[in-house]
Structures are given as structure tokens and as C-alpha cells.
Amino acid sequence: MLIYSLKRLLLAILVAITVSFISFSLLFLAGDPAIAMAGEGATDQDIENIRQLYGFDKPVLVQYFDWLLRAIGGNLGESFYFKTPVVHLIAEHMPVTMTLGAMGITFALSLAVPLGVLAAIRPNSIIDRIALLISVSGQALPSFWFALVLVVIFTVTLGWLPASGSDTWLHFLMPTVVLSYYAAPAFMRLTRAGMLDVLGSDYIRTARAKGLTTKSVFLKHALRNAIIPVVSLAAVQFGFMLGGSVIVESIFALNGAGSLAWESIGRNDFPTVQGLILVFALIYIVLTFLADVLNAWLDPKIRIG
Amino acid sequence: MRKKSLLTGAALAACLATSGVPALAGKSDDTLTVAFAKQLENLDAYSATAREMIVIARHVWDGLLYRDPATGEYLGNLAESFEWVDATTIDFVLREGVTFHNGEAFDADDAVYTLNWVSKPENGVSNQGNVNWIASAEKTGPYSLRLHLKEPFPAALEYLSGPVVMYPNEYHAEVGTAGMGSNPVGTGPYKVTSVEAGKRYVFEKNDGYFAGPKGTAEIGKIVWRTIPERNTQFAELLSGGVDWVWQVPPDQAEKLGKKFSVSNESTMRIGYVSFDSAGRTGETPMSDIRVRKAIAHAINREAIVNALLKGASKVVHSACFPSQFGCFQDVAKYDYDPARAKELLAEAGYPDGFTVPFFAYRDRGYAEAIIGDLAAVGISVDFGYLKYAALRDKVQGGEVPFQFMTWGSNSVNDVSAITSHFFSHGKDDYALDADVKTWLTTADTSIDPAVRKENYAKALSKIADEVYWLPLFSYNVNYVYSDELEFTPYPDEVPRFFQARWK
Amino acid sequence: MTDVTHSIEEEDFGPSPREILKKSILAHRSLLLGFGAIVIIVLAALLAPVLAPHDPYLQDLSIRFTPPVWQDGGSWEHILGTDHLGRDYLSRLLYGARISLTIGIGAVLISGTIGTTLGVCAGYFGGRVDMVVNYLITVRLSMPVVLVALAIVAIFGGSLNIVIMVLGFLLWDRFAVVMRSSTMQVRNMDYVQSAQAVGCSTLRIVLTEIMPNIMNNLIVVATLEMAHAILLEAGLSFLGLGVQPPLPSWGLMVAEGKEMLFFEPWLIMIPGAALFILILSINLMGDGVRDVTAPAGKN
């Protein structure tokens, strides 16, 4: 167990370093940051001053190692645009995105798991078909389209929900639905498949044979076993959601990390973009690491294989 | 460690989020809610460069002078009067009895401190062009000062009534740029009472505002919201969440006009097509004047203005905005004439047209219309639509043979802010014409208006004759707002909410 | 499809497996539905030059925003109306099918090649190779796709080729994961072992023994990823960084239509619906193929 965890940790660290290098070199191609910082009316001299001030005239590799060393010390540099430390910016914008991600996952799970269970209990029934329909059509809807349609209905036509901002939980309602509907089908399929597997397995038959009620069989045994892969998928999906909240945040004017990243790309503010990609990747790496270790702990087969 | 604090933050945010529909703003609670797309880096007038900051600066601070937008006359603002001592010296007598929002009194110490502080490049004013003409300021009395310029600079008054605003010396010395950015203090008609970066700023009427040329504000509270997505702005407007939006495209403005008030006002920004006449990108068809003329005849500027830009926009022929000093208008004009364009292309050796890279960074619809017109005469393009920063990098690196660009001249009403910028052999110059450069330099450095006009006219005529640029059109801005609001826009693209009233 | 039936034929000794497969395909209504819709869309794309009533690039600024025929002011001249430059919307939709399909297929060809190569290598060789591939997959999965795609397209500009390449290089993970586990299963089969014993070359074994047996999974992943790529392109277009005009990808049409969302909703509804139907059909087909070719025992 310990050896498996250590191995897995080593992989995680290796991946983190690789990702840091990719995000660094990727955004180094982003044109001359000095020009972006100087703005439209800047003179050549302004641009040259900025270039020297921020060390853009040094070789790329030197800049990378400088950046990595500082990053390890918790310093992701200073945003070109805001002139404040990137770490502060991310800490400032992350709560909105985290809240959104957490609500999105919760909503997706609370919709998908019951539907998946019902679908598995009665395969090929009406419920199964409706669940399938939701899952297939849900994945075919472009999220921005869905978001705008919701705004047209619930803000402009009905006037029930605010279209933008992040002040109250009502502001999070539409963004949550948009963000979660894309994740929900995966949970549903996995729950359904897991339930079907478990229900067909020997020990459920045994439990039933022992005369346990159907309800307790489902809740105590089947669901508990079927839900394990769903939980680890949730960890992965949470990571995806954080990185994928760009469109949702820009439509609903949620000033979270996703919209910060998007705006920063447009501003050539590459320390911020680098920092965000790195943080998103790290969150994902940590979550999957935890999920893997958890899985290994629950299922001894994994850590041997 | 960081991760933990982030998670704690998330939990906190979730806890703080309480239920309740936000109150609708408007006349009833004397709150004007306005929406802007851009997030500002901070609220320090000297470090944020976006237009939104210029707007905020006009509300929170005052300059020594104020330019009356109706007459163009320079009036005293924080200064009561001013006098040119010689070409590089101005004396000011300051207004007495003015206080900053934090109670600090305004006097010569504040003005001298501000002017000296911004004049030093090491203090990091982002837009050095606004302040680099200042040599120094000295106090000549408790309410008077003398300003020294580095060289004769007639536009000094323009800057003193615009971007150069007065800071409170004690407060600024204590909190610095960062403090000013998060907690700004000025003398202006509105004071900042709440700052939530990237979300909203709240401004409240400064009841103690002096009766200067800006007048006194009427609306009690302005809530300034950042909403990047235009449709979301409209949704908020339609549902009563905001009262005022701007930069609304003409089609949408027309439709919104049925329910809201719409004002349209010209701006100093012009759109233009520029060609690589000098061959900086290597051999391209663009170095042939017949090709450039063909393109000038191929693009139906009139139709684009009438159908797409609408409003106060006009076709422009000279490489500057018509109201700018020295913007000579009697230059060669190229009418829409696709048949002539095809002839010219055939003469140039391209009877079947050619393919060329074409770049733009904004107004994709306009660029598409241009591409459509070009296709009609046989010219096809590899279109690249980039972010401004990325495109400007490419342009300055000499990689762009053909581009649709725009220039706003930083709202400076003088040809030196546009033509001289692009045709004096700088990085943006794809013509590299020695004559044009000589004329522009002569005009830029002369103080005799007649000499300036004559030389600008020569330069602009040659630019048009050689079709180094094809100037396209001037831009306009649509302001859409609640019917309850009385609002007047000005061509300098600075909305003045301190003049707005409820009806 | 033929490969699948071929291999099953060799494997099973049941009564005419080809018949069974045919029967289960015909019985699978959503598979048929999805397949039918895709055939129609592909035909529309191929026959666009014949079907389109107008030149999709021809602009006429005097007839901008002509509504579709079923609305007031519409005409049969422009059945689906005209866009912001007065171009015929139906013609653009037909040509747009080409662009969207090209993006989907192009991206899947790249990602499929990368992912399958990595996945099969990892599954077949195991050990160190598996570890390296596993590491690559983890790196890829930890990069936020939308952000990275946005950043690259913002830097290099959004030409059709760049968008296809970016999506292709970002979406290979599912191929790698699925091909890896499928190959692992097949590798231990008797016929692979005997081929190894006979001394067949690795390449030959992979091509003749492994690939045919994992082809059904490959098809399923390919369809799903194709839908994914088309949707992602639409998202990039929405943020202004997808395929560039005047090319009419459906994603771009939705993005352009969104400008008039509150005023001319049909501009976004028409390409949006087309996009929805395409993705839905691809997904239905993918799911159907999985159901039909899945080993017996499910349900």
C-alpha cells in the first residue's frame, strides 16, 4: 500500500513538473508581453523599458528555472495587468470557481445517481429510457447555447433569476445547471453500469437469498459498491469543471478563475495564465492522486496490479 | 498550504452567500447602475490605462483645468486661473476651500507633489505620454504654483484638463500606488465607497463638491458593474438589473431603441487598411501601387458605413480623423468601382487575382465585409483574427502585408497623434517614405500653425496618392439607457455621469 | 464494421454470427436513427454545391437579417433567411456542415492516431512502456483543455488547420486509455499467444490479431471524440477564437448569431439545432455500436 502510494506520488510530481514546463513554454510563445503591457499608445522606448524591467531579454530556459524556483516557493510572479502577485489573484478568484465547481458536482450527482440507480433497477423501462435520453441529449447541447437559452427564459422572459454576478446563491443557480449537465450523463452511465454489475454479482444474490429486504440490499450493499467508481470519477470531473468553467463564467459574469484565465489570455498577461494553468493542473493531480489511493485502499487488486 | 486556504475560501464564500433577489436599481432608489465589459487592473488613475479608467478618473478626481466639451474652451477647475509665462512655463492660481474625500484640504502642496511625482519615470506612470512633458512644479504660495515644461508643448492644457489629476499628497505618500488603486481618494463629484475588483465599484455623490465647471452631480449613487459578455449586459438591461450600457453594436442598438433611450456619438477612432508598400514582409502584390488602388476601388466603404456602422460614422479619405488639427481633406479619393479594380489588377499582372494574408483584431463583421468585397474582384485572403497584443507584435515585427486596423489617437485632437505615429519610420510604418517623414517631422516640431498645416497637407496628400493606407471610416458609439435617465454623450468617449439626471 | 464481423466469425461457433449482428443492428432503433441522420448530414455536406441555392460567401448588405420563410418578412428566395452580411443562411448551413465535419474527422484522425498508437503500445508491451504512456496520459489529462486550446489559438490565430491540430493534439487521451485496456485484454488471448509462439513480428501481430479485435472500441471512442471536437470548436468560436470567417462552421454561425440573440433568435437557433442534431446522431451511433458489438451478457 505504502509502496503503491509512493509510486503514485512520484508520478504525480513528475507530471506536475512536466505540466509546469508545458504551460511556461506555451505562453512564452504568446507574442511580446512588453507590447501587451504597454498598451495602444505606447512608444518604442516605453516597450523597451518594460522589457528590461521584467527581464524578458533573458534566455527562455533561464526564465523558466527562475520561474520554477520561485513557483516552488509559492511565488508565481506578478500579473502584468494588475501589477499584483499572481498568487493573490488566484486566491481571490478561486473561491467563486470552487463554489461553482462544488455546486456543479453536487447537482450533477444528486441528479445522476438516483436516475442511474432507477435505470439499473428497471433496465429498459421508461425510466431507463428517459435517463438515456437525458444523458445523450445533454451531451449534445453546446454549453454556451444552453446558458444563453436559460438566460432568455429565466431572466428576460420570467424575470426570476439574475443573469450575472455572484452575490447570492440565486446567482449560482443557472451557472451550476449549465456546468453540471455536461458531467451528469457520465455519472449516470457509471452508476447504472455499476449497479447492474453489483446486482448481478454473487453476494447480492446471497444477501437476497438470506432474506434481506430489497431496500436494504440496494442501499446497504449494491449502491455502496456501485458508488465507489462514481466518487473517483467525481474527483476527476471536479478538476475538469474548474478548468472548463471559462465559458460559463464569462456568460454569467462570475469573476472567478476561469474568466480570469480567459481575460488574461486576451491581455497577454502570461504570468497569470501560467499560474492558473499550473494551479488547475495541480488541483487535478492532487484529486486524482487521492482518488487513486482511496481506490487502492478499497480494492486491493489495484495495488497489486 | 495554499490549497488549504483556497478551500477555506470556497467554504467561506459558500457560507456568506445568502438568499434574496438583488434590489432593482433605478430612479426610485436614486441608484444608477452602469455596466462595462472590461475589468480594470485597479483604480489608480496613473497605473490603469483603459478607457474605463479615464471615465472613472473624471468622476473621482479633478484636474487643474477642465475642457468644456461643448465649446472646447479650457476653464479653471482646481486652478482658478492660469497664465502662460513663456513657452515652457505656466503659472496657476488654485481654488481655495476644496477638500478631498478623506477630509484632507487641497492646496499647492498637493498639486506640486502630484505633478512632481508623476513627472518622474521611476514612479511608473503607465502612460508616460500623459506626463513626460512635465519638467517640474514649484510652490509659489499656499494656493499658487509654477509649472515648468521640458519643451514648448501646446497640448499641455489638454493633458492638464484630462489625465493629469490631482492626488492628496499626505494620503498618497502614506498608501502609495497600491493604496490609491484599492481605496482611491480625490476631490471629484463622486467618491468611491466600495471596491470589489472585477465585480463592482460603488460611487456616491460628493456632497461637499465645489461648484466648479463640471457642475454638481444629481444622482446619489452609481453602481459600476463589470459584465464581460454583451448578451448578459442586454439581459440585465432588459430585466432592469442595469440602467446604462455603451458600445452597443448598431443592429442591437436599433432594436433596443424600441424600449430604451439610445444616443449615438462619433468618436475619434478611425478604421483603415494598411498595405506593405515598402516590402517589409518580402515580395507581395501590395508593393504595386496598382494593386493598392485596385483594393481602394474594390471596397465599398459607403455601403459598409451605411449598413454596418450606421450612426454618426462617415467614410474618411485622409489618414486622420477629420476634426484633428492638420487633417487635410482635399486628398485623392477612390470611389467604389469594382470594374476599375479588376482593370487595375489586370494591368498589374493579376487578371485572376491572388491570395494574400489579411489580419484584423476587432470588428470581425467589418473585416468579413471587406473580405467579401475583395473576393468579388478576385482577391482571396488567408484571414487571421488575433488578439490586439498578438497582432501588434506581428505588425511591428514586419510580418503583416495587409491588415484592417483602427486607431483612436488617444483622443488627442491633432494629426501628430496618428499620421506622425504611423509614417515617421517607426515600427508600425509599412510605407517608409522619406518625403512623408520629412514633412511630418517639420509639422510636428513647428509652432507656426500655418507651417504645420502646409506640411501635414503635403504628407497626407502623398499618403493618399500612393495609397499607403486606405482610410475606411470613423467609428461611433451607441449608448443605451433607461428612459428615466437624461444623459448626454460627447465625442471624447468619456461618459459624464455627474451630468446625468433622472427625468 | 466488416472487420468486426470478420473477427467474430472466426471466433464464435454459434449459428451465423453475421446474422445475429445484422439483426441486433436492425433492432437497435437509436443506432439506425443516428446513422440515418449522419448519412443525411454527410450527403448534405458532400452535395452542398448542388443543393445550396446561393453562393455561401456572396454578401449583399442591402438584405441583411432577412428572416426565414416562416417568419414575417421571409421569402422563399432565402428559405432560412440571411446573416449579418446578407449571405444566404441555408447555403452557409450546407457548406458549414462540411467545415464542422472536417473539424470532427480531422481532429479524430490526429487524436485517434496518437491515442491508438500510445494505447496499443502500452497495452501490448506493458512494463516500462506502459508506465511512460500512463505518465503521458496523466500529463495530458491534467492540462485544462479549454484553457490550453484558447491560449494556443489566441497565439497562432484560428485557421481551420490550427483548430484541427489543436483539438487533435488535445483529445487523444480517451483513445489511449480505451485502446490500452482493450489491448491488454486481447494480448492474453490464445491466438495472440500462439502467434507469438510461431514467431510472428510484433507489427504483424498488432495489425492482424490485435487491431481487428479492438476495432469496435476504437469506433465507439472515435464517434464520441468526434462529437467532442465539434462541440469544443463551437465553444472556441463562441469565445471568438475558433475557425475564422468567411468559413461557415456551425460553431462560428452560432457564435455570430449570438450577437442578435435577443432580437433575431432564429440566427442562433438554426445552426444551434443543426449542431445539436449532428452531435446527438454521432452519440447515438457511438452508443449503438457499443451496444451491438459489446460482448453478450449486458442486460
Side-chain angles (χ1 to χ4, degrees), chain B residues 229-235 238 249 251-253 255-256 300 303-305 307-308 310 364-366 368-373 375 381 383-387 390 394, chain C residues 57 59 61-62 64-65 83-85 87 92 153-159 237-247 252 255-256 258-264:
Chain B
E229 168 62 34
R230 188 138 55 207
N231 276 310
T232 313
Q233 290 189 1
F234 295 160
L238 289 164
D251 295 319
Q252 289 91 319
K255 301 276 183 182
L256 287 168
N300 192 350
I304 293 175
V305 167
L308 302 181
K310 303 180 187 175
R364 198 153 64 172
Y366 307 166
E368 265 191 273
I370 293 170
I371 293 170
D373 282 343
V381 299
F383 186 48
Y385 190 75
L386 302 177
K387 289 278 176 185
K394 264 178 126 65
Chain C
Y57 302 112
Q59 70 191 33
L61 297 180
S62 64
R64 306 171 68 229
F65 299 126
D83 71 358
H84 65 291
L85 294 176
R87 296 173 298 203
R92 287 184 74 70
V153 178
I155 296 166
F156 293 105
S159 77
S237 285
F238 175 82
L239 292 171
L241 289 171
V243 174
Q244 288 310 318
L247 285 181
L252 184 64
E256 288 180 347
K258 108 186 172 201
E259 291 289 317
M260 295 295 280
L261 175 72
F262 295 122
F263 316 108
E264 307 283 4

Side-chain angles (χ1 to χ4, degrees), chain C residues 43-96:
Chain C
L43 278 179
L46 289 175
L47 297 176
V50 184
L51 295 173
H54 297 272
D55 176 350
Y57 302 112
L58 185 71
Q59 70 191 33
D60 180 352
L61 297 180
S62 64
I63 53 162
R64 306 171 68 229
F65 299 126
T66 306
V69 67
W70 59 85
Q71 287 194 5
D72 285 349
S75 80
W76 286 101
E77 179 65 21
H78 298 284
I79 298 171
L80 294 182
T82 60
D83 71 358
H84 65 291
L85 294 176
R87 296 173 298 203
D88 184 62
Y89 222 42
L90 174 60
S91 308
R92 287 184 74 70
L93 199 69
L94 289 168
Y95 277 87

Side-chain angles (χ1 to χ4, degrees), chain B residues 345-428:
Chain B
L345 284 177
E347 277 173 36
Y350 303 101
D352 303 318
F354 55 84
T355 302
V356 66
F358 179 61
F359 290 90
Y361 75 98
R362 60 178 274 177
D363 305 308
R364 198 153 64 172
Y366 307 166
E368 265 191 273
I370 293 170
I371 293 170
D373 282 343
L374 293 174
V377 299
I379 300 171
S380 61
V381 299
D382 288 329
F383 186 48
Y385 190 75
L386 302 177
K387 289 278 176 185
Y388 179 74
L391 180 54
R392 182 165 168 181
D393 197 17
K394 264 178 126 65
V395 169
Q396 300 202 329
E399 299 170 44
V400 179
F402 186 31
Q403 47 172 325
F404 162 49
M405 295 291 278
T406 78
W407 188 253
S409 300
N410 290 316
S411 297
V412 175
N413 207 7
D414 192 290
V415 164
S416 61
I418 177 166
T419 320
S420 309
H421 176 95
F422 286 97
F423 291 96
S424 300
H425 296 203
K427 285 181 178 172
D428 286 310

Side-chain angles (χ1 to χ4, degrees), chain B residues 126-143:
Chain B
S126 308
N127 196 338
Q128 281 292 316
N130 286 342
V131 291
N132 61 6
W133 48 274
I134 300 173
S136 64
E138 58 179 309
K139 185 177 173 182
T140 52
Y143 289 97

Side-chain angles (χ1 to χ4, degrees), chain A residues 237-256:
Chain A
Q237 286 283 357
F238 185 68
F240 283 152
M241 273 191 185
L242 296 184
S245 63
V246 179
I247 290 175
V248 172
E249 287 186 19
S250 92
I251 290 180
F252 294 103
L254 293 170
N255 189 28

Side-chain angles (χ1 to χ4, degrees), chain B residues 34 79 107 139 160 213 272 288 310 339 347 363 365 375 379 440 450 470:
Chain B
V34 297
D107 55 26
K139 185 177 173 182
L160 287 170
Y272 62 91
D288 188 327
K310 303 180 187 175
E347 277 173 36
D363 305 308
I379 300 171
L440 289 173
L470 177 65

Side-chain angles (χ1 to χ4, degrees), chain B residues 25 36 82 99 123 140 219 247 269 290 299 322 392 409 489 493:
Chain B
F36 287 80
F82 67 95
T99 51
N123 286 331
T140 52
I219 294 171
Q247 296 178 341
R269 182 171 296 273
R290 289 166 297 190
I299 298 174
R392 182 165 168 181
S409 300
E493 276 183 276

Side-chain angles (χ1 to χ4, degrees), chain A residues 32 81 164 167 169 251, chain B residues 19 39 200 225 232 236 393:
Chain A
D32 192 333
Y81 186 72
S164 61
D167 299 328
W169 66 271
I251 290 180
Chain B
S19 69
Q39 180 182 359
R200 76 159 68 70
R225 295 195 49 199
T232 313
E236 289 287 6
D393 197 17

